[in-house]
Coordinates of all heavy atoms in Angstrom, one line a residue:
R32 N -16.6 -0.9 13.5 CA -16.8 -0.6 12.1 C -16.3 0.8 11.8 O -16.6 1.7 12.5 CB -18.3 -0.8 11.8 CG -18.6 -0.5 10.3 CD -20.0 -0.8 10.1 NE -20.5 0.1 9.0 CZ -21.2 -0.3 8.0 NH1 -21.5 -1.6 7.9 NH2 -21.6 0.5 7.1
G33 N -15.5 1.0 10.8 CA -14.9 2.2 10.4 C -15.9 3.2 9.7 O -17.0 2.8 9.4
R34 N -15.5 4.4 9.5 CA -16.3 5.3 8.8 C -16.4 4.9 7.3 O -15.6 4.3 6.8 CB -15.7 6.7 8.8 CG -15.7 7.3 10.2 CD -15.1 8.7 10.2 NE -14.8 9.2 8.9 CZ -14.2 10.4 8.7 NH1 -13.8 11.1 9.7 NH2 -14.0 10.8 7.5
R35 N -17.5 5.3 6.7 CA -17.8 5.0 5.3 C -17.6 6.3 4.5 O -17.8 7.4 5.0 CB -19.2 4.5 5.1 CG -19.5 3.2 5.9 CD -18.6 2.1 5.6 NE -18.9 1.5 4.3 CZ -18.3 0.5 3.7 NH1 -17.2 0.0 4.3 NH2 -18.6 0.1 2.6
V36 N -17.3 6.2 3.2 CA -17.1 7.3 2.3 C -18.4 7.4 1.4 O -18.7 6.4 0.9 CB -15.8 7.2 1.4 CG1 -15.7 8.4 0.5 CG2 -14.6 7.1 2.3
S37 N -19.0 8.6 1.3 CA -20.1 8.7 0.5 C -19.9 9.9 -0.5 O -19.2 10.8 -0.2 CB -21.4 9.0 1.3 OG -21.7 7.9 2.2
A38 N -20.6 9.8 -1.6 CA -20.6 10.9 -2.6 C -22.1 11.0 -3.2 O -22.8 10.1 -3.0 CB -19.6 10.7 -3.7
T39 N -22.4 12.1 -3.8 CA -23.8 12.3 -4.3 C -23.8 11.8 -5.7 O -22.9 11.9 -6.5 CB -24.3 13.7 -4.3 OG1 -23.4 14.6 -5.0 CG2 -24.4 14.2 -2.9
S40 N -25.0 11.2 -6.1 CA -25.2 10.8 -7.4 C -25.8 11.9 -8.2 O -26.2 12.9 -7.7 CB -26.2 9.6 -7.4 OG -27.5 10.0 -7.0
R41 N -26.0 11.7 -9.5 CA -26.6 12.7 -10.3 C -28.1 13.0 -9.9 O -28.6 14.1 -10.0 CB -26.6 12.3 -11.8 CG -25.3 12.4 -12.5 CD -25.4 12.2 -13.9 NE -24.4 11.3 -14.3 CZ -24.3 10.8 -15.5 NH1 -25.2 11.1 -16.5 NH2 -23.4 9.9 -15.8
A42 N -28.7 12.0 -9.3 CA -30.0 12.2 -8.8 C -30.1 12.9 -7.4 O -31.1 13.2 -6.9 CB -30.7 10.8 -8.6
G43 N -28.9 13.2 -6.9 CA -28.8 14.0 -5.7 C -28.8 13.2 -4.4 O -28.7 13.7 -3.3
A44 N -28.9 11.9 -4.5 CA -28.9 11.0 -3.4 C -27.4 10.6 -3.0 O -26.6 10.5 -3.8 CB -29.6 9.7 -3.7
W45 N -27.2 10.5 -1.7 CA -25.9 10.1 -1.2 C -25.7 8.6 -1.5 O -26.6 7.8 -1.3 CB -25.7 10.3 0.3 CG -25.5 11.8 0.6 CD1 -26.5 12.6 1.0 CD2 -24.3 12.5 0.5 NE1 -26.0 13.9 1.2 CE2 -24.6 13.9 0.8 CE3 -23.0 12.2 0.1 CZ2 -23.7 14.9 0.8 CZ3 -22.1 13.2 0.1 CH2 -22.4 14.5 0.4
V46 N -24.5 8.2 -2.0 CA -24.2 6.8 -2.4 C -22.9 6.4 -1.6 O -21.9 7.1 -1.7 CB -24.0 6.7 -3.9 CG1 -23.6 5.3 -4.2 CG2 -25.2 7.1 -4.7
E47 N -23.0 5.3 -0.9 CA -21.8 4.8 -0.2 C -20.9 4.2 -1.2 O -21.3 3.4 -2.0 CB -22.2 3.8 0.8 CG -21.1 3.5 1.8 CD -21.6 2.6 2.9 OE1 -22.2 3.1 3.8 OE2 -21.3 1.4 2.9
V48 N -19.6 4.7 -1.2 CA -18.7 4.2 -2.2 C -17.5 3.4 -1.6 O -16.7 2.8 -2.4 CB -18.1 5.3 -3.1 CG1 -19.2 6.0 -3.9 CG2 -17.4 6.4 -2.2
G49 N -17.5 3.2 -0.3 CA -16.4 2.4 0.3 C -16.1 2.8 1.7 O -16.7 3.7 2.3
A50 N -15.1 2.1 2.2 CA -14.7 2.3 3.6 C -13.7 3.4 3.7 O -12.8 3.5 2.8 CB -14.2 1.1 4.2
D51 N -13.7 4.3 4.7 CA -12.7 5.3 4.9 C -11.7 4.6 5.8 O -11.8 4.4 7.0 CB -13.3 6.5 5.6 CG -12.2 7.5 5.9 OD1 -11.0 7.3 5.6 OD2 -12.6 8.6 6.5
E52 N -10.6 4.1 5.2 CA -9.6 3.3 5.9 C -8.4 4.1 6.3 O -7.3 3.6 6.3 CB -9.2 2.1 5.0 CG -10.4 1.2 4.7 CD -10.1 0.0 3.9 OE1 -8.9 -0.1 3.4 OE2 -11.0 -0.9 3.6
G53 N -8.6 5.4 6.6 CA -7.6 6.2 7.1 C -6.5 6.6 6.0 O -5.4 6.7 6.3
A54 N -7.0 6.7 4.8 CA -6.1 7.1 3.7 C -5.4 8.5 4.1 O -6.0 9.3 4.7 CB -6.8 7.2 2.4
A55 N -4.2 8.6 3.7 CA -3.5 9.9 3.9 C -4.0 11.0 3.0 O -4.4 10.8 1.9 CB -2.0 9.7 3.7
D56 N -3.8 12.3 3.5 CA -4.1 13.4 2.7 C -3.2 13.3 1.4 O -2.1 12.8 1.5 CB -3.7 14.7 3.4 CG -4.8 15.1 4.4 OD1 -5.9 14.5 4.4 OD2 -4.5 16.1 5.1
G57 N -3.7 13.7 0.3 CA -3.0 13.6 -1.0 C -3.4 12.4 -1.8 O -3.0 12.2 -2.9
T58 N -4.2 11.5 -1.2 CA -4.6 10.3 -1.8 C -5.8 10.6 -2.8 O -6.7 11.4 -2.5 CB -5.2 9.2 -0.8 OG1 -4.1 8.9 0.1 CG2 -5.7 8.0 -1.5
M59 N -5.7 10.0 -4.0 CA -6.9 10.1 -5.0 C -7.2 8.7 -5.5 O -6.3 7.9 -5.6 CB -6.5 11.0 -6.1 CG -6.4 12.5 -5.8 SD -6.4 13.6 -7.2 CE -5.2 13.0 -8.3
C60 N -8.5 8.6 -5.8 CA -8.9 7.3 -6.4 C -10.2 7.5 -7.2 O -10.8 8.6 -7.1 CB -9.2 6.2 -5.3 SG -10.5 6.6 -4.2
R61 N -10.4 6.6 -8.1 CA -11.6 6.7 -9.0 C -12.6 5.7 -8.6 O -12.3 4.6 -8.2 CB -11.1 6.4 -10.4 CG -12.3 6.4 -11.5 CD -11.7 6.1 -12.8 NE -12.7 6.2 -13.9 CZ -13.4 5.3 -14.4 NH1 -13.2 4.0 -14.0 NH2 -14.2 5.5 -15.4
V62 N -13.9 6.2 -8.5 CA -15.0 5.3 -8.2 C -16.1 5.6 -9.3 O -16.0 6.6 -10.0 CB -15.6 5.5 -6.8 CG1 -14.6 5.2 -5.7 CG2 -16.1 7.0 -6.7
E63 N -17.0 4.7 -9.4 CA -18.1 4.9 -10.3 C -19.4 5.0 -9.6 O -19.7 4.2 -8.7 CB -18.2 3.8 -11.4 CG -17.1 3.9 -12.4 CD -17.4 3.2 -13.7 OE1 -18.6 2.9 -14.0 OE2 -16.5 3.0 -14.5
I64 N -20.2 6.1 -9.9 CA -21.5 6.2 -9.3 C -22.5 6.3 -10.4 O -22.4 7.2 -11.3 CB -21.6 7.5 -8.4 CG1 -20.6 7.4 -7.3 CG2 -23.0 7.8 -7.9 CD1 -20.4 8.7 -6.5
D65 N -23.5 5.4 -10.4 CA -24.5 5.3 -11.5 C -23.8 5.2 -12.9 O -24.2 5.8 -13.8 CB -25.4 6.5 -11.5 CG -26.3 6.6 -10.2 OD1 -26.5 5.5 -9.6 OD2 -26.7 7.7 -9.8
G66 N -22.6 4.5 -12.9 CA -21.9 4.4 -14.2 C -21.1 5.6 -14.6 O -20.5 5.6 -15.7
H67 N -21.0 6.6 -13.7 CA -20.3 7.8 -14.0 C -19.0 7.9 -13.2 O -19.0 7.7 -12.0 CB -21.1 9.0 -13.7 CG -20.6 10.3 -14.1 ND1 -20.6 10.8 -15.4 CD2 -19.9 11.3 -13.4 CE1 -20.0 11.9 -15.5 NE2 -19.5 12.3 -14.3
P68 N -17.8 8.1 -13.8 CA -16.5 8.2 -13.1 C -16.4 9.4 -12.2 O -16.7 10.5 -12.6 CB -15.5 8.2 -14.2 CG -16.2 8.8 -15.4 CD -17.6 8.4 -15.3
V69 N -16.0 9.2 -11.0 CA -15.9 10.3 -10.0 C -14.5 10.1 -9.4 O -14.0 9.0 -9.1 CB -16.9 10.1 -8.9 CG1 -16.7 11.2 -7.8 CG2 -18.3 10.3 -9.4
C70 N -13.8 11.3 -9.2 CA -12.5 11.3 -8.6 C -12.7 11.7 -7.1 O -13.3 12.7 -6.8 CB -11.6 12.3 -9.3 SG -10.0 12.6 -8.5
L71 N -12.2 10.8 -6.2 CA -12.2 11.2 -4.8 C -10.8 11.6 -4.4 O -9.8 11.0 -4.7 CB -12.6 9.9 -3.9 CG -14.0 9.4 -4.1 CD1 -14.2 8.2 -3.2 CD2 -15.1 10.4 -3.8
A72 N -10.8 12.8 -3.7 CA -9.5 13.3 -3.3 C -9.5 13.5 -1.8 O -10.5 14.1 -1.2 CB -9.2 14.6 -4.0
R73 N -8.4 13.1 -1.1 CA -8.4 13.3 0.4 C -7.6 14.6 0.7 O -6.4 14.7 0.4 CB -7.6 12.1 1.0 CG -7.5 12.1 2.5 CD -8.8 11.7 3.1 NE -8.6 11.4 4.5 CZ -9.5 10.8 5.2 NH1 -10.6 10.4 4.7 NH2 -9.3 10.7 6.5
V74 N -8.3 15.6 1.2 CA -7.8 16.9 1.5 C -8.1 17.3 3.0 O -9.3 17.2 3.3 CB -8.3 18.0 0.6 CG1 -7.8 19.3 0.9 CG2 -8.0 17.6 -0.9
D75 N -7.1 17.6 3.8 CA -7.4 18.0 5.2 C -8.2 17.0 5.9 O -9.2 17.4 6.7 CB -8.0 19.4 5.2 CG -7.0 20.5 4.7 OD1 -5.8 20.3 4.9 OD2 -7.5 21.5 4.2
G76 N -8.0 15.8 5.7 CA -8.7 14.7 6.5 C -10.1 14.4 6.0 O -10.8 13.7 6.6
A77 N -10.5 15.0 4.9 CA -11.9 14.8 4.4 C -11.8 14.3 2.9 O -10.8 14.6 2.2 CB -12.7 16.1 4.4
W78 N -12.8 13.6 2.5 CA -12.9 13.2 1.1 C -13.7 14.2 0.3 O -14.8 14.6 0.7 CB -13.5 11.8 1.0 CG -12.7 10.7 1.4 CD1 -12.7 10.0 2.6 CD2 -11.6 10.1 0.7 NE1 -11.7 9.0 2.6 CE2 -11.0 9.1 1.5 CE3 -11.0 10.4 -0.6 CZ2 -9.9 8.3 1.1 CZ3 -9.9 9.6 -1.0 CH2 -9.4 8.6 -0.2
L79 N -13.2 14.6 -0.8 CA -13.9 15.5 -1.7 C -14.1 14.8 -3.1 O -13.3 14.0 -3.5 CB -13.1 16.8 -2.0 CG -12.7 17.6 -0.7 CD1 -11.8 18.7 -1.1 CD2 -13.9 18.1 0.0
A80 N -15.3 15.0 -3.7 CA -15.6 14.3 -4.9 C -15.8 15.3 -6.1 O -16.5 16.3 -5.9 CB -16.9 13.5 -4.7
V81 N -15.1 15.0 -7.2 CA -15.3 15.8 -8.4 C -15.5 14.9 -9.6 O -15.0 13.7 -9.5 CB -14.1 16.8 -8.7 CG1 -14.1 17.9 -7.6 CG2 -12.8 16.1 -8.8
D82 N -16.0 15.4 -10.7 CA -16.1 14.6 -11.9 C -14.7 14.1 -12.3 O -13.7 14.9 -12.2 CB -16.7 15.4 -13.0 CG -17.0 14.6 -14.3 OD1 -16.2 13.8 -14.7 OD2 -18.1 14.8 -14.8
D83 N -14.5 12.8 -12.6 CA -13.2 12.3 -12.9 C -12.6 12.7 -14.3 O -11.5 12.5 -14.6 CB -13.1 10.8 -12.7 CG -11.7 10.2 -12.8 OD1 -10.9 10.7 -12.1 OD2 -11.5 9.3 -13.6
T84 N -13.5 13.2 -15.2 CA -13.1 13.5 -16.5 C -12.7 15.0 -16.7 O -13.5 15.9 -16.4 CB -14.2 13.1 -17.5 OG1 -14.6 11.8 -17.3 CG2 -13.7 13.3 -18.9
C85 N -11.5 15.2 -17.1 CA -11.0 16.6 -17.3 C -11.9 17.3 -18.4 O -12.2 16.7 -19.4 CB -9.5 16.5 -17.8 SG -8.8 18.1 -18.2
T86 N -12.2 18.5 -18.2 CA -13.0 19.3 -19.1 C -12.1 19.8 -20.3 O -12.7 20.2 -21.3 CB -13.6 20.5 -18.5 OG1 -12.6 21.3 -17.8 CG2 -14.6 20.1 -17.4
H87 N -10.8 19.8 -20.2 CA -9.9 20.2 -21.2 C -9.7 19.2 -22.3 O -9.8 19.4 -23.5 CB -8.6 20.7 -20.6 CG -7.5 21.0 -21.5 ND1 -6.3 20.3 -21.6 CD2 -7.4 22.0 -22.5 CE1 -5.6 20.8 -22.5 NE2 -6.2 21.8 -23.1
Q88 N -9.3 18.0 -21.8 CA -9.2 16.8 -22.6 C -9.8 15.7 -21.8 O -10.2 15.9 -20.6 CB -7.7 16.5 -22.9 CG -7.0 17.6 -23.7 CD -5.6 17.2 -24.0 OE1 -5.1 16.1 -23.8 NE2 -4.8 18.2 -24.3
T89 N -10.1 14.6 -22.3 CA -10.8 13.5 -21.6 C -9.9 12.7 -20.7 O -10.1 11.5 -20.6 CB -11.6 12.7 -22.6 OG1 -10.7 12.1 -23.5 CG2 -12.7 13.5 -23.2
C90 N -8.9 13.3 -20.1 CA -8.0 12.5 -19.2 C -8.7 12.3 -17.8 O -9.6 13.0 -17.4 CB -6.8 13.4 -18.9 SG -5.8 13.8 -20.4
S91 N -8.3 11.2 -17.2 CA -8.8 10.8 -15.8 C -8.1 11.6 -14.8 O -6.9 11.5 -14.6 CB -8.7 9.3 -15.6 OG -9.0 9.0 -14.3
L92 N -8.8 12.5 -14.0 CA -8.2 13.3 -13.0 C -7.6 12.4 -11.9 O -6.5 12.8 -11.3 CB -9.2 14.3 -12.4 CG -9.8 15.3 -13.3 CD1 -10.8 16.2 -12.6 CD2 -8.6 16.1 -13.9
S93 N -8.2 11.3 -11.6 CA -7.7 10.4 -10.5 C -6.3 9.8 -10.9 O -5.6 9.3 -10.0 CB -8.7 9.3 -10.2 OG -8.9 8.5 -11.3
E94 N -5.9 9.9 -12.1 CA -4.6 9.4 -12.6 C -3.5 10.5 -12.5 O -2.4 10.3 -12.8 CB -4.7 8.9 -14.0 CG -5.5 7.6 -14.1 CD -5.7 7.1 -15.5 OE1 -5.0 7.6 -16.4 OE2 -6.5 6.2 -15.7
G95 N -4.0 11.7 -12.1 CA -3.1 12.9 -11.9 C -2.5 12.9 -10.5 O -2.3 11.9 -9.9
D96 N -2.1 14.1 -10.1 CA -1.5 14.4 -8.8 C -2.4 15.3 -8.0 O -3.3 16.0 -8.5 CB -0.2 15.0 -9.0 CG 0.8 14.0 -9.6 OD1 0.9 12.9 -9.2 OD2 1.5 14.5 -10.6
L97 N -2.2 15.3 -6.7 CA -2.9 16.2 -5.8 C -1.9 17.0 -5.0 O -1.0 16.4 -4.3 CB -3.8 15.4 -4.8 CG -4.7 16.2 -3.9 CD1 -5.7 17.1 -4.7 CD2 -5.5 15.2 -3.0
A98 N -1.9 18.3 -5.1 CA -1.0 19.2 -4.3 C -1.9 20.1 -3.5 O -2.5 21.0 -4.0 CB -0.1 20.0 -5.3
D99 N -1.8 19.9 -2.2 CA -2.7 20.6 -1.3 C -4.2 20.3 -1.7 O -4.6 19.2 -1.7 CB -2.4 22.1 -1.2 CG -1.0 22.3 -0.6 OD1 -0.6 21.6 0.3 OD2 -0.4 23.2 -1.1
D100 N -4.9 21.3 -2.2 CA -6.3 21.1 -2.6 C -6.4 21.2 -4.1 O -7.5 21.4 -4.7 CB -7.3 22.0 -1.9 CG -7.1 23.5 -2.4 OD1 -6.0 23.8 -2.8 OD2 -8.0 24.3 -2.2
V101 N -5.3 21.1 -4.8 CA -5.3 21.3 -6.3 C -5.1 19.9 -7.0 O -4.1 19.2 -6.7 CB -4.2 22.3 -6.8 CG1 -4.2 22.3 -8.3 CG2 -4.5 23.6 -6.2
V102 N -6.1 19.5 -7.8 CA -6.0 18.3 -8.6 C -5.3 18.7 -9.9 O -5.7 19.5 -10.6 CB -7.4 17.7 -8.9 CG1 -7.2 16.5 -9.8 CG2 -8.1 17.4 -7.6
I103 N -4.1 18.0 -10.2 CA -3.4 18.3 -11.4 C -3.6 17.1 -12.3 O -3.2 16.0 -12.1 CB -1.9 18.4 -11.0 CG1 -1.6 19.5 -10.0 CG2 -1.1 18.7 -12.3 CD1 -0.3 19.5 -9.4
C104 N -4.3 17.5 -13.4 CA -4.7 16.5 -14.4 C -3.4 16.0 -15.1 O -2.5 16.7 -15.3 CB -5.6 17.2 -15.4 SG -6.0 16.3 -16.9
P105 N -3.4 14.7 -15.5 CA -2.3 14.2 -16.3 C -2.1 15.0 -17.6 O -1.0 15.0 -18.2 CB -2.6 12.7 -16.5 CG -3.9 12.5 -16.1 CD -4.4 13.7 -15.3
C106 N -3.1 15.7 -18.1 CA -3.0 16.5 -19.3 C -2.6 17.9 -18.9 O -2.6 18.8 -19.7 CB -4.3 16.5 -20.0 SG -4.8 14.9 -20.7
Q107 N -2.3 18.2 -17.6 CA -1.7 19.4 -17.1 C -2.6 20.5 -16.7 O -2.2 21.5 -16.2 CB -0.6 20.0 -18.0 CG 0.5 19.0 -18.3 CD 1.2 18.5 -17.0 OE1 1.5 19.2 -16.1 NE2 1.3 17.2 -16.9
L108 N -3.9 20.4 -16.9 CA -4.8 21.4 -16.3 C -5.0 21.2 -14.8 O -4.8 20.1 -14.3 CB -6.2 21.3 -17.0 CG -7.2 22.4 -16.9 CD1 -6.6 23.7 -17.5 CD2 -8.5 22.1 -17.6
R109 N -5.2 22.3 -14.1 CA -5.3 22.2 -12.6 C -6.7 22.6 -12.2 O -7.3 23.6 -12.7 CB -4.3 23.1 -12.0 CG -2.9 22.6 -12.3 CD -1.9 23.7 -11.9 NE -0.5 23.2 -12.1 CZ 0.3 22.9 -11.2 NH1 0.0 23.0 -9.9 NH2 1.5 22.4 -11.5
F110 N -7.3 21.9 -11.2 CA -8.6 22.2 -10.6 C -8.5 22.2 -9.1 O -7.7 21.4 -8.5 CB -9.6 21.0 -11.0 CG -9.8 20.8 -12.4 CD1 -9.0 20.0 -13.2 CD2 -10.8 21.4 -13.1 CE1 -9.1 19.8 -14.5 CE2 -11.0 21.2 -14.5 CZ -10.2 20.4 -15.2
T111 N -9.3 23.1 -8.5 CA -9.3 23.1 -7.0 C -10.3 22.0 -6.7 O -11.4 21.9 -7.2 CB -9.8 24.4 -6.4 OG1 -11.0 24.7 -6.9 CG2 -8.8 25.5 -6.6
A112 N -9.9 21.1 -5.7 CA -10.8 20.0 -5.3 C -12.0 20.4 -4.6 O -13.0 19.8 -4.6 CB -10.0 19.0 -4.4
T113 N -12.0 21.6 -4.0 CA -13.1 22.1 -3.2 C -14.2 22.7 -4.1 O -15.4 22.7 -3.8 CB -12.7 23.2 -2.2 OG1 -12.0 24.2 -2.8 CG2 -11.9 22.5 -1.1
T114 N -13.9 23.2 -5.3 CA -14.9 23.9 -6.1 C -14.9 23.3 -7.6 O -15.8 23.6 -8.3 CB -14.6 25.4 -6.3 OG1 -13.3 25.6 -7.0 CG2 -14.6 26.1 -4.9
A115 N -13.9 22.5 -7.9 CA -13.7 22.0 -9.3 C -13.5 23.0 -10.3 O -13.5 22.8 -11.5 CB -14.9 21.1 -9.7
A116 N -13.2 24.3 -9.9 CA -12.8 25.3 -10.8 C -11.4 25.2 -11.3 O -10.5 24.7 -10.5 CB -13.0 26.7 -10.2
T117 N -11.1 25.6 -12.5 CA -9.7 25.6 -12.9 C -8.9 26.7 -12.2 O -9.4 27.7 -11.7 CB -9.6 25.9 -14.4 OG1 -10.2 27.1 -14.7 CG2 -10.2 24.8 -15.2
T118 N -7.6 26.4 -12.0 CA -6.7 27.3 -11.3 C -5.4 27.4 -11.9 O -5.0 26.4 -12.6 CB -6.6 26.9 -9.8 OG1 -5.9 27.9 -9.1 CG2 -6.0 25.6 -9.6
T119 N -4.6 28.4 -11.6 CA -3.2 28.5 -12.1 C -2.2 28.2 -11.0 O -1.0 28.2 -11.2 CB -2.9 29.9 -12.6 OG1 -3.2 30.8 -11.6 CG2 -3.7 30.1 -13.9
R120 N -2.7 27.8 -9.8 CA -1.8 27.5 -8.6 C -1.1 26.2 -8.9 O -1.5 25.3 -9.5 CB -2.6 27.3 -7.3 CG -3.2 28.6 -6.8 CD -3.7 28.4 -5.4 NE -5.0 27.6 -5.3 CZ -5.3 26.9 -4.3 NH1 -4.5 26.7 -3.3 NH2 -6.4 26.2 -4.3

């Protein structure tokens, strides 16, 4: 059995969201936890989770691009996947 991918819910509990099927770095996908959209990003062999909704406009981050550890929103704002802070990189 392969590794599983987990993320935390708003209640702070870990929630299993799927199988880690060896996705390549740079992969992003959208999952829902407790009805809330979450963007999973594969960076340096690990999955990172951030809110999927852009704070600038309500674009889905998982529909954007991933460059190293920077999530590039389809509305053009950039966030670091490790901290979810905006960046100019």
Side-chain angles (χ1 to χ4, degrees):
R32 180 177 147 133
R34 291 180 11 184
R35 305 296 290 174
V36 178
S37 299
T39 57
S40 68
R41 285 191 230 174
W45 286 99
V46 176
E47 191 171 283
V48 294
D51 179 359
E52 298 179 355
D56 283 353
T58 300
M59 289 197 305
C60 65
R61 180 180 186 259
V62 297
E63 287 202 15
I64 298 174
D65 298 335
H67 186 79
V69 174
C70 173
L71 296 179
R73 183 77 169 193
V74 177
D75 293 331
W78 287 103
L79 304 174
V81 296
D82 191 313
D83 188 52
T84 305
C85 176
T86 57
H87 173 242
Q88 296 181 18
T89 56
C90 300
S91 170
L92 295 180
S93 60
E94 294 177 8
D96 294 309
L97 185 62
D99 297 320
D100 68 339
V101 176
V102 176
I103 304 167
C104 172
C106 297
Q107 301 307 309
L108 197 60
R109 295 169 179 251
F110 300 86
T111 58
T113 53
T114 66
T117 58
T118 184
T119 57
R120 291 193 288 147

